[in-house]
Amino acid sequence: MSVIYQTTVGEIGDEVESFLGEGMFILFGQGAPAALKDYCYIVDVNASTAAIEPGQHLSLDEELFTITAVGEVARQNLDGLGHITVVFNGATEARMHGSVYVEAATPPKLHVGSVITIQV
């Protein structure tokens, strides 16, 4: 598989686990608004090299999850702000425009230094 996006977790907000319990997490770049920062994994802002599409794979520290749906502004937000919400419910239609949906699973806890990639 080839990598079309890669970033690393640099900080972890104090309230990240509240969203993990809801089956999702939020990524945001270093410029995250103060009101959201506590709820986010703070990552390096890097641009993707291709469109993000269902059938590709999200890798979280080498654990693969199949992407099932992609919101219409997810790539734009990820490339410009480092911001997406990853939802682990297997939805095949994106209900939130800036989200990436993956197969139903329990979201793993990431740590400072965790590597996140999208692979085709």
Side-chain angles (χ1 to χ4, degrees):
M1 284 192 253
S2 62
V3 173
I4 63 165
Y5 176 79
Q6 181 169 327
T7 193
T8 303
V9 175
E11 297 177 51
I12 300 173
D14 292 337
E15 300 296 327
V16 163
E17 289 199 30
S18 63
F19 279 103
L20 290 176
E22 298 294 322
M24 65 181 74
F25 65 72
I26 302 169
L27 301 180
F28 222 119
Q30 295 293 335
L36 294 178
K37 192 171 183 176
D38 282 345
Y39 299 94
C40 301
Y41 288 113
I42 304 300
V43 297
D44 297 327
V45 178
N46 298 318
S48 58
T49 59
I52 303 166
E53 301 175 343
Q56 295 172 345
H57 293 92
L58 176 71
S59 173
L60 305 171
D61 286 332
E62 299 185 19
E63 185 176 355
L64 291 178
F65 299 89
T66 301
I67 296 172
T68 58
V70 180
E72 62 190 44
V73 297
R75 181 180 183 192
Q76 175 184 341
N77 288 352
L78 187 61
D79 290 353
L81 302 170
H83 175 52
I84 56 169
T85 300
V86 179
V87 184
F88 291 78
N89 68 3
T92 56
E93 291 186 28
R95 297 181 77 187
M96 296 183 286
H97 299 298
S99 296
V100 171
Y101 296 79
V102 299
E103 63 191 89
T106 300
K109 287 185 183 178
L110 303 179
H111 59 276
V112 171
S114 285
V115 176
I116 300 165
T117 63
I118 297 174
Q119 304 172 8
V120 296

